[in-house]
């Protein structure tokens, strides 16, 4: 018997042994359940949202009626009780959360990652990194109350007319929440950069800062960008913190105008909580709008994850 045949025979016997077969079956069931759960969620969103939409009926609020896709996607008024289902009012608030939190989390997260990867000693890193991860373990509802009890009162002396509920506090608290995700994933990407590249930079007379920002960060750029997209997806999907901090007034705001961040608004996730927790008729139009918002949010986050995977594969460095 040749060496290859003997190896194949031994491998086949090992894989078909009862303990190995049981392990393979268990892990296959776990993977199949994960896929089945994902498919089930997508089918639920699609079928329930389809009951909300039609391409011909007018956008009215009569229970049991339907709403047009075009008016849902282009409308700027969100008042389910009066039959107004313009999701742009909710999307604008969600974009405000994403933009405002990114201004805080992205630079702080990357700066933290650079320090942990390039400057911190192993002892300091062993203390700071687990401490940073604690932020990810705090319940999001606690962040919401932290925003209205501490962040908003601290901002009010500097921002005249700032109410208890506002988008600025919501953006700040969500930015704090996603810092660990940006810092951890970026730090892992930077740590994977070969030491030879750093030594080459030092050999050319570069300083520690120049090596960190000119060699390490560009080499880990695909991983850093992926951390940005994943963190922003988390910001878009955040629920309880923005529900508490941003208020419950749905209005269309310009996310690129800094003055609008002092206003109340209603992001998509908060609108879903408000609808489910309010007095809506099960199976009615307002109830079905929850699934329409859900599938809109799903498409946005899916698109961001696809972009993240494309950039990671396109600009990935092989060492």
């Amino acid at each position: 018997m040749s060496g290859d045949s003997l190896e194949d025979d031994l491998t086949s016997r090992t894989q078909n042994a009862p303990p190995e077969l049981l392990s393979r079956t268990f892990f296959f069931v776990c993977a199949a359940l994960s896929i089945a759960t994902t498919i089930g969620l997508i089918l639920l969103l699609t079928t329930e949202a389809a009951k909300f939409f039609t391409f011909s009926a007018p956008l009215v609020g009569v229970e049991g009626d339907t709403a047009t896709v075009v008016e849902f996607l282009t409308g700027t008024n969100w008042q389910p009780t009066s039959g107004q289902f313009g999701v742009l009012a909710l999307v604008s608030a969600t974009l405000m959360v994403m933009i405002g939190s990114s201004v805080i989390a992205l630079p702080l997260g990357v700066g933290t990652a650079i320090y942990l990867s390039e400057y911190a000693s192993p002892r300091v890193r062993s203390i700071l990194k687990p401490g940073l991860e604690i932020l990810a373990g705090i319940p999001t509802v606690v962040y919401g109350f932290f925003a209205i009890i501490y962040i908003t009162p601290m901002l009010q002396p500097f921002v005249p007319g700032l109410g208890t509920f506002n988008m600025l506090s919501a953006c700040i608290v969500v930015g704090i929440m996603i810092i660990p995700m940006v810092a951890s994933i970026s730090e892992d990407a930077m740590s994977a950069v070969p030491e030879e590249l750093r030594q080459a930079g030092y050999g050319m007379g570069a300083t520690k800062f120049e090596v960190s920002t000119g060699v390490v960060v560009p080499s880990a750029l695909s991983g850093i960008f992926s951390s940005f997209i994943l963190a922003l997806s988390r910001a878009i999907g955040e629920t309880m913190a923005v529900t508490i901090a941003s208020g419950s007034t749905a209005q269309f705001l310009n996310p690129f105008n800094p003055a609008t961040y002092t206003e109340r608004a209603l992001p998509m996730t908060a609108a879903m909580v408000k609808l489910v927790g309010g007095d809506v008729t099960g199976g009615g139009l307002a109830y079905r709008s929850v699934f329409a918002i859900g599938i809109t949010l799903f498409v946005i986050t899916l698109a961001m994850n696809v972009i993240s995977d494309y950039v990671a594969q396109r600009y990935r460095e092989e060492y």
Side-chain angles (χ1 to χ4, degrees), residues 10-82:
L10 292 175
T11 301
S12 176
R13 291 182 182 180
T14 302
Q15 291 180 347
N16 293 325
E20 183 68 21
L21 187 60
L22 181 62
S23 300
R24 290 173 58 192
T25 303
F26 172 75
F27 291 122
F28 172 78
V29 170
C30 292
L33 284 175
S34 300
I35 296 173
T37 302
T38 303
I39 294 174
L41 290 172
I42 295 174
L43 289 176
L44 172 66
L45 287 174
T46 304
T47 54
E48 292 296 329
K51 298 176 183 178
F52 177 81
F53 291 126
T54 182
F55 290 91
S56 58
L59 185 61
V60 294
V62 180
E63 292 296 331
D65 208 336
T66 51
T68 63
V69 175
V70 174
E71 294 184 18
F72 176 79
L73 295 176
T74 59
T76 58
N77 294 321
W78 181 265
Q79 297 293 335
T81 56
S82 60

